[in-house]
Amino acid sequence: MDVRRYDTDPAGLAAWHELALPVLAADPVVNTFALTALAERARSGAGPAPATLATVHDDGGATVAAALRFAGHGLQVSALPAGAADALAAELAADEPLWRRGAFGPVERVAALVRARVGGTGEIPVTDIEMRLWTLGTLVVPRGVAGTARAATDADGPLLARWFRGFVADVATDHPGRPVPVPVPVPGPDGPDTAGPDDPGQDRAAPGHAPGTVPDPGPDPGTAPGHDRGGSAPGPGDGGPDPARFVADERAAGRDPVVWEVDGTPVAFGVTRLPAAGVARIGPVYTPPEHRNHGYAPAVTAACVRRALAAGAREVVLFTDVAADVPNRIYARIGFVPGGLHREVRFEPAPDRTPHAAPTHDRTRIGQDR
């Protein structure tokens, strides 16, 4: 197989798009993250730039796989069949950002890349989190939850920016080993929340699950390269979302932030990503601690689903932490159907080895000359 690498300038990105997007769009549910992030960046430039672009081709030149990594994040391997993993792993063997960040995608495809990579580098793969991808079946709107949904306004920006910082802090606390990039001024939280009106411990943390949140994979559009471990909630002074522009920036990227309020008081919020290849993803949904245990999160999630369908989505998806029992039961109850497992893995260097040099054969780089 032949692996082609692409520069990340406009010419290289355009060349990659031409060959990679049909592969991604052939399975838009599994590839929802990559497709959504690319669409949002095309709309507004939001989020980190692509840092690794590659396609894999069979002996006849047909494109059989596509790989994408955003700056500061793991390689997206949802569109990487197992048979292409060896070729891609060999091509990326010396990529230090991949070496530090790892990969994300369906379990079997991540496993294939891990097997191919560690055989040549001696690295130690570490699973940071496993997530389940859920697809909407028939929406069941929660009953008996106080309050109503409304579209977020600019005046909500300071509150939602503060809640976003709480979301980031919760995820970092619950997954202390998971690499956490430093956010840049363009906001873009991701990851649905939990709540249930009749669940003991509703809106609370389950093992491997941040309180009031479920971490979503890959780059929250609005994050950039940064520290690799832990992290505290970012604020405006250290690259966090601009409170005054939070809602405007969300909308500019094609996101639809929704507030759930009770008697005029906001108590939770969620974000609908506009459809990419017909698939809309929900996330984040966040309920601050003082408002948990009332079922606001599934209610606002249902509101986000309705808005996604009204925006033309053919399918609606979200991710949950597989270790979080409460949210998994909640999303099943409001009509989501569990799908395949996804895994986020990072590569730790072997104590006595360094990555191999990248091969120079069978390599095509498209874009500006080097």
Side-chain angles (χ1 to χ4, degrees):
M1 289 190 176
D2 172 40
V3 180
R4 302 178 190 175
R5 298 283 297 273
Y6 303 79
D7 287 302
T8 54
D9 64 351
L13 185 59
W16 179 84
H17 273 180
E18 182 177 357
L19 294 174
L21 286 185
V23 177
L24 295 171
D27 193 348
V29 169
V30 170
N31 293 309
T32 178
F33 174 74
L35 289 166
T36 301
L38 289 166
E40 290 181 350
R41 184 163 179 82
R43 290 186 188 104
S44 67
T52 301
L53 299 169
T55 53
V56 184
H57 304 263
D58 64 18
D59 293 341
T63 307
V64 297
L68 164 69
R69 187 182 67 80
F70 289 92
H73 297 273
L75 191 73
Q76 298 289 317
V77 297
S78 295
L80 181 70
D86 288 343
L88 184 66
E91 174 62 31
L92 301 180
D95 276 27
E96 191 271 346
L98 176 62
W99 176 76
R100 297 172 69 197
R101 287 287 174 179
F104 174 81
V107 165
E108 68 280 1
R109 298 191 177 190
V110 171
L113 181 71
V114 167
R115 286 193 299 268
R117 182 172 175 84
V118 301
T121 65
E123 294 165 336
I124 301 169
V126 178
T127 297
D128 282 319
I129 189 172
E130 285 196 350
M131 303 183 200
R132 186 175 299 283
L133 177 61
W134 295 75
T135 305
L136 181 69
T138 301
L139 179 64
V140 179
V141 177
R143 297 183 180 277
V145 180
T148 57
R150 63 169 174 80
T153 68
D154 289 343
D156 296 310
L159 177 64
L160 299 190
R162 186 168 72 248
W163 285 356
F164 171 53
R165 294 194 295 271
F167 163 83
V168 172
D170 281 353
V171 173
T173 297
D174 204 61
H175 296 275
R178 190 185 188 214
V180 179
V182 175
V184 296
V186 179
D190 206 355
D193 176 46
T194 71
D198 54 6
D199 273 307
Q202 62 207 334
D203 278 346
R204 297 182 61 83
H209 174 60
T213 66
V214 176
D216 201 14
D220 289 333
T223 58
H227 58 285
D228 282 335
R229 297 292 181 269
S232 59
D238 59 7
D242 179 354
R245 291 198 51 80
F246 188 96
V247 174
D249 287 338
E250 289 286 283
R251 296 199 187 286
R255 306 176 203 131
D256 182 15
V258 178
V259 171
W260 190 268
E261 65 179 13
V262 178
D263 296 329
T265 298
V267 295
F269 91 111
V271 175
T272 301
R273 310 298 179 112
L274 291 185
V279 178
R281 193 169 82 255
I282 305 298
V285 178
Y286 181 75
T287 306
E290 65 271 22
H291 295 304
R292 293 174 188 167
N293 304 312
H294 299 289
Y296 300 142
V300 78
T301 301
C304 288
V305 168
R306 284 175 155 176
R307 295 175 74 89
L309 295 173
R314 295 191 298 272
E315 297 193 72
V316 183
V317 302
L318 54 80
F319 284 93
T320 62
D321 185 334
V322 297
D325 179 63
V326 171
N328 286 296
R329 285 188 284 118
I330 286 170
Y331 291 122
R333 192 161 57 234
I334 66 172
F336 282 88
V337 178
L341 295 180
H342 283 55
R343 178 176 294 162
E344 184 179 280
V345 173
R346 70 179 184 273
F347 298 106
E348 295 288 351
D352 58 346
R353 296 182 68 177
T354 56
H356 291 176
T360 57
H361 59 281
D362 290 336
R363 178 170 183 168
T364 303
R365 181 175 287 279
I366 300 174
Q368 65 183 44
D369 292 335
R370 292 281 183 176

